[in-house]
């Protein structure tokens, strides 16, 4: 498996590690043997302690959260079992806040099939929240669609919210705690502003995918202090 991609460390102490994931790299291995080109294995090469914690899947080590493969930005790892258990408990209580910078496609982008009518604010003009459940959509559930019906077929049954705020340069700052797969991508497409380069959700083709994880806030398991990490 190739290991040539350099991963940049943004913050570390004895308990946690925050790295910057480049675009086009999966966050975690998908196969049981775990020997794939992905962020977990690239980080393991220079910080083997990321494999000390045992969580839901052994091959993911201390990975606390994931980014979609095309998304770049900050990813949090635990380096001890104690830190992993603490951070996962924080996450379940909405204690880990994630912030993203989204760059929408410009011009007319038709909304893909399967989206309900959009009932919220214009994300380019005002701050607010986009909230919905999600349901799997398309062949093998490769995409998701927001739904306001918690009883819909193949629905998550849980409401997920994306807080949005115009950033003044045409981009949008999106903030969330617990996230669902493709949440920001689907919510912004629903609003009529799909991401640059996100052709799955109606965005125009581009060299750079329009989503970057730029901020993480959480309570440090080592010191108990609240940390905010940004790029």
């Amino acid at each position: 498996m190739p290991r040539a991609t350099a991963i940049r460390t943004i913050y570390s102490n004895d308990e946690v590690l925050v790295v910057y994931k480049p675009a086009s790299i999966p966050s975690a291995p998908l196969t049981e043997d775990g020997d794939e080109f992905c962020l977990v294995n690239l980080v393991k090469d220079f910080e083997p302690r990321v494999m000390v914690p045992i969580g839901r899947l052994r091959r993911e080590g201390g990975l606390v959260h994931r980014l979609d493969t095309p998304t770049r930005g900050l990813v949090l790892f635990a380096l001890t079992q104690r830190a992993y258990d603490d951070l996962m408990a924080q996450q379940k209580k909405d204690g880990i806040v994630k912030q993203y910078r989204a760059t929408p496609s410009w011009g007319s982008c038709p909304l893909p099939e399967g989206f309900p009518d959009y009932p919220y604010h214009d994300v380019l003009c005002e701050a607010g929240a986009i909230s919905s459940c999600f349901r799997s959509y398309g062949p093998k559930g490769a995409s998701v669609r927001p739904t306001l019906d918690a009883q819909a077929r193949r629905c998550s049954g849980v409401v997920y919210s994306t807080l949005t705020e115009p950033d003044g340069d045409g981009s949008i700052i999106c903030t969330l705690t617990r996230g669902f797969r493709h949440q920001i991508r689907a919510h912004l497409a629903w609003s009529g502003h799909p991401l640059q380069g996100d052709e799955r959700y109606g965005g125009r083709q581009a060299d750079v995918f329009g989503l970057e994880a730029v901020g993480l806030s959480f309570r440090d398991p080592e010191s108990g202090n609240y940390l905010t990490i940004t790029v």
Side-chain angles (χ1 to χ4, degrees), residues 181-223:
R181 178 172 64 98
H182 298 181
Q183 176 175 329
I184 292 174
R185 297 168 63 180
H187 272 169
L188 291 188
W190 192 25
S191 78
H193 301 288
L195 296 177
Q196 170 184 287
D198 194 3
E199 295 178 78
R200 180 185 295 272
Y201 290 100
R204 297 187 181 282
Q205 185 178 14
D207 292 335
V208 178
F209 190 76
L211 192 61
E212 180 184 20
V214 296
L216 275 174
S217 297
F218 57 94
R219 188 185 68 251
D220 180 17
E222 181 178 39
S223 67

Side-chain angles (χ1 to χ4, degrees), residues 117-123 126 129-132 148 159 187 190-191:
D117 291 338
Y118 178 70
Y120 298 112
H121 61 292
D122 184 342
V123 296
E126 59 183 305
I130 304 173
S131 299
S132 73
L148 299 173
V159 175
H187 272 169
W190 192 25
S191 78

Side-chain angles (χ1 to χ4, degrees), residues 112-184:
E113 294 181 352
F115 282 83
D117 291 338
Y118 178 70
Y120 298 112
H121 61 292
D122 184 342
V123 296
L124 291 180
C125 297
E126 59 183 305
I130 304 173
S131 299
S132 73
C133 299
F134 286 98
R135 61 187 181 92
S136 299
Y137 187 86
K140 298 183 179 180
S143 299
V144 301
R145 293 293 187 264
T147 176
L148 299 173
D149 178 6
Q151 305 302 317
R153 182 170 174 267
R154 296 193 296 176
C155 177
S156 63
V158 176
V159 175
Y160 293 87
S161 293
T162 303
L163 303 180
T164 70
E165 183 174 359
D167 199 29
D169 60 355
S171 63
I172 303 159
I173 298 300
C174 299
T175 304
L176 51 84
T177 52
R178 281 178 291 179
F180 196 82
R181 178 172 64 98
H182 298 181
Q183 176 175 329
I184 292 174

